[in-house]
Amino acid sequence: MERSFIMIKPDGVQRGLSGEIIKRLEQKGFTIVAMKMMEVSRELAEKHYDVHRDKSFFNNLVEFITSAPVIAMVWEGEGVVAAARKLIGATDPLNAEPGTIRGDYGISIGRNLIHASDAVETAQREIALWFEDSELISWETALQNWIYE
Ligand code: IDP
Ligand code: MG
């Protein structure tokens, strides 16, 4: 079953939107495989955003992600990587559609509330970066047959 790395960023936690964000993923039918609240080290933040290392916003991004606690999660379900990106909306909240998390709750690109892996291979890299294998809980919801045909 497909998995995605999803993180509620410091602004999402501070604004009390963690429950709302988790609720949206949960109600879609996806399941939580791992979840931890944590303070992010500079080293981890830089590895996570390595692809953006040469961008002008890289330093601000790392500063921000390490500035206050985040909630790091792994979610599971059919097509969860692409579906989570849709639920989250465009990177710039002002361009994100209403009904998406960023579209409903954000304004600034540097305060867009949530991260989600952008591809299945990225998800595998990010999950391995943020979690030990022993932290991932394999389980099947009793609602399986009511969510999947
Ligand atoms: P994504 O989070 O939608 O995948 P990416 O392009 O991977 O977007 O960028 C990672 C994060 O870097 C974004 O979520 C956003 O917080 C920040 N970011 C991206 N582009 C800009 C920018 O132009 N200015 C400031 N921050 C940016
Ligand atoms: Mg990205």
Side-chain angles (χ1 to χ4, degrees):
M1 191 65 105
E2 193 170 297
R3 290 176 172 178
S4 185
F5 173 70
I6 298 180
M7 169 176 53
I8 305 173
K9 296 182 181 181
D11 49 336
V13 174
Q14 295 295 327
R15 290 181 55 196
L17 292 170
S18 304
E20 177 64 32
I21 289 168
I22 290 164
K23 186 183 85 176
R24 289 182 180 208
L25 292 159
E26 218 175 19
Q27 290 188 339
K28 173 77 172 165
F30 296 130
T31 53
I32 302 166
V33 171
M35 177 185 291
K36 58 185 172 188
M37 188 175 202
M38 58 189 285
E39 285 172 318
V40 184
S41 68
R42 190 163 185 101
E43 186 191 359
L44 177 57
E46 287 185 357
K47 277 189 191 155
H48 175 73
Y49 283 122
D50 190 54
V51 63
H52 297 305
R53 196 170 283 275
D54 297 331
K55 308 266 173 63
S56 60
F57 58 82
F58 179 73
N59 242 327
N60 279 350
L61 182 57
V62 168
E63 286 290 327
F64 181 62
I65 265 337
T66 57
S67 68
V70 304
I71 297 178
M73 302 176 285
V74 178
W75 285 79
E76 184 174 83
E78 248 176 64
V80 65
V81 171
R85 294 286 294 191
K86 283 190 187 159
L87 288 171
I88 284 163
T91 304
D92 181 349
L94 288 181
N95 291 330
E97 293 295 325
T100 65
I101 291 165
R102 288 167 171 172
D104 285 351
Y105 299 117
I107 296 174
S108 292
I109 196 165
R111 299 288 184 274
N112 62 6
L113 301 158
I114 179 163
H115 165 86
S117 308
D118 62 9
V120 172
E121 309 78 63
T122 316
Q124 286 162 357
R125 183 185 85 82
E126 291 176 347
I127 291 167
L129 183 62
W130 287 80
F131 288 94
E132 305 283 344
D133 277 351
S134 60
E135 293 177 297
L136 306 174
I137 314 285
S138 291
W139 64 289
E140 188 173 291
T141 167
L143 297 176
Q144 195 76 7
N145 294 333
W146 298 104
I147 295 170
Y148 295 97
E149 188 179 3

